[in-house]
Amino acid sequence: MFKQPEALNVERHASLGLADQPNYSHAAEEMLTPVFSGEAWQVAREYTLVFPNEVGLPLAILGYQQGVNAYLGNNGSWWGRYVPAHIRRYPFIAAPQQTDGDQQQFTVMIDASAPQLLEDAGQPLFEDGKPSKLLHEVQRVLANLQKDTQRTHQLVKQIDEAGLLVKQSLHIKVKEGEDKGLQGFRVIDREAFRQCDGETLSALNKSGALGLIQAHFCSLTNLQDGLLAKKAAGKIGQTGLPEGPATLEELFNEGDDDFIFDFDS
């Protein structure tokens, strides 16, 4: 998604501004997107949440065809009510630096090829040679995402070490057309979860990992009646749905179908 990353600095980018209108065309080919623990429940309302084969951030499924994001609407709009944070933070991302005590340092990076970045237009990133109010907000959001990234990694590691994750593939049956399948992820083993002892459940609850597990289970209902399934079944028109949050302040605010998702047994 980040095609031309480079460090943001006033000498080189003094005249850059951020476009006022959101455009998510940069995610057109994303079939999966990382999910942070702080947004797990928002994601679970309309996406299917799975886990990678190695310890890492959970993933939201965005499509079932290779290189096609089914949530991308016309002119870069977004079909879902909630746009995952990794998609919304573009064209900004943090590059961690060496830790200074307990304070994690990072460099703000941009995708220099992003159409959202404009010369002498939009909301300025610098004013009088200093970071603008917008850039300070970007830095705050990126810092929060860095913290949540570390926390989420620990939660997934805890779930993995509890022996609850199993490799799984997703079978997608289309009544008219070729069946498809998605692989390369893991899900919570329900039977293993039911057999967890009290000590393990208490530890999962205390850390917050239990909430992530619950969000994952909740998200599985979207395999049958979520936006992705409905769109694939042709039950949603081309006008799309209202766009998701557009501002950085909103980043952390908190039957018989033609198309059937199911996990392979």
Side-chain angles (χ1 to χ4, degrees), residues 12 20 28 86 132 143-144 174 197 216:
R12 187 170 182 177
D20 293 318
H86 179 67
S132 66
N144 285 340
V174 185
D197 57 44
H216 163 69

Side-chain angles (χ1 to χ4, degrees), residues 15-36:
S15 60
L16 279 188
L18 183 67
D20 293 318
Q21 296 300 317
N23 186 310
Y24 304 106
S25 297
H26 55 274
E29 299 180 1
E30 303 299 310
M31 294 178 63
L32 300 165
T33 189
V35 173
F36 305 93

